[in-house]
Amino acid sequence: MAKGYGVSVYRTMGAVRLDEQGKLVIPPLSAEDIPTEAKALRDELASMLPFVPIVSLLIELLPSSPPAPLTF
């Protein structure tokens, strides 16, 4: 088993496990780089979408939606 600083790497990162106190440990996922082709496609698709201010969207949607109950 790989060792790092006197503690096995498997025990400090990687697998979902229970620690010494019996608590569930879920390590964070490793971040992956987004390929440049995917970034270019994302930017191209985003540029095709129209810019709509949120106020304009709400003005369009409010007349067709039922009134929300006042709960606060």
Side-chain angles (χ1 to χ4, degrees):
M1 190 179 299
K3 299 280 184 178
Y5 300 104
V7 178
S8 71
V9 173
Y10 179 77
R11 292 183 64 205
T12 58
M13 36 188 284
V16 174
R17 64 194 182 281
L18 294 175
D19 66 6
E20 291 78 18
Q21 290 81 29
K23 293 183 180 177
L24 181 64
V25 177
I26 303 174
L29 296 175
S30 62
E32 295 184 15
D33 291 331
I34 299 174
T36 54
E37 296 86 7
K39 288 179 183 178
L41 179 61
R42 178 190 61 196
D43 294 340
E44 181 182 347
L45 293 174
S47 70
M48 293 179 185
L49 296 172
F51 174 75
V52 179
I54 188 72
V55 174
S56 298
L57 182 64
L58 290 174
I59 290 171
E60 287 288 324
L61 292 177
L62 281 176
S64 64
S65 62
L70 297 176
T71 57
F72 53 99

